[in-house]
Structure formats: C-alpha cells, structure tokens
C-alpha cells in the first residue's frame, strides 16, 4: 500500500471516526453536531477529529464561535482509487484461479 494511504485507512478503521466521515459526507458540520450521536466528551471527539485531520480526510475551520468540519473529497477519492485497483487485481487473480480449477476439473473428468 502506498505509505500515505495507511493513516487514512487507520483513521477510518475506528467506528466513531467512520461515522463522523459518513455524517460529513452529507455536508459540513460543527464539532458539537458530530459529537452528539456518540455520547462522548468533547475532548474525546476532538482527538478523533485530530486523527481524521492528520490523515488528511477532514478539514476544520473557525466560523464565528463554532468550529466547522468538512471532508476533503480528494483524499477519499484517492482511497477509493486504491481500493478499485485492488478489486481489479483480485478479480483477475480469482478469474485465473477459476480457469485453473475448471481446467483441472475437465482433466479429471476426461481421465475417468
């Protein structure tokens, strides 16, 4: 895996952070709104946001008295591109394995 993608996948591996990203996919949100469904203290939510920011997935900005969070779509697109490449690679491998299995099966059938 490309080294810069590892922090993104590690950040998304946590259920709370994944839920926050899913919420932000609908649009920017203040930190308090992101915290509400998780029942966590604000410092804990801020630590989760820091992980997402450090991974390059989320950006925060000050808007008046609130801190607004938003997704960085380019980072998510990059993870999606990597996953799509992996799907293509594994589909090709499985197709070759299937062809080999069919070949072996047909040989076994003809040997009988």
């Amino acid at each position: 895996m490309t080294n810069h993608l590892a922090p993104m996948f590690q950040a998304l591996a946590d259920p709370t952070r994944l839920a926050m990203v899913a919420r932000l996919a609908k649009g920017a949100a203040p930190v308090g709104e992101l915290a509400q469904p998780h029942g966590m203290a604000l410092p804990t939510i801020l630590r989760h946001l820091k992980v997402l920011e450090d991974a390059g997935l989320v950006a925060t900005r000050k808007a008046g008295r609130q801190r607004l969070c938003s997704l960085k779509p380019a980072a998510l697109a990059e993870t999606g591109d990597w996953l799509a490449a992996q799907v293509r690679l594994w589909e090709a491998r499985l197709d070759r394995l299937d062809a080999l299995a069919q070949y072996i099966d047909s040989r076994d059938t003809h040997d009988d």
Side-chain angles (χ1 to χ4, degrees):
M1 178 185 319
T2 308
N3 286 341
H4 69 281
L5 292 177
M8 292 182 201
F9 285 113
Q10 289 169 345
L12 293 171
D14 180 85
T16 299
R17 292 191 291 267
L18 186 59
M20 293 167 77
V21 167
R23 165 52 193 91
L24 291 172
K26 298 175 185 173
V31 172
E33 183 180 322
L34 291 174
Q36 187 178 14
H38 303 289
M40 295 179 181
L42 189 58
T44 304
I45 289 297
L46 291 174
R47 280 193 295 275
H48 280 295
L49 280 171
K50 175 87 169 106
V51 171
L52 292 169
E53 284 180 296
D54 289 348
L57 294 165
V58 171
T60 60
R61 64 181 169 82
K62 193 92 163 140
R65 294 178 45 195
Q66 292 186 328
R67 223 153 168 61
L68 281 180
C69 303
S70 58
L71 282 183
K72 294 174 98 176
L76 285 177
E78 193 173 358
T79 59
D81 292 345
W82 184 85
L83 286 170
Q86 295 305 304
V87 167
R88 287 190 302 276
L89 173 74
W90 281 99
E91 284 176 342
R93 288 178 178 174
L94 291 171
D95 287 346
R96 289 194 307 272
L97 182 60
D98 187 47
L100 176 62
Q102 288 178 16
Y103 170 75
I104 291 170
D105 189 43
S106 71
R107 268 191 28 193
D108 289 345
T109 303
H110 289 138
D111 288 345
D112 291 340

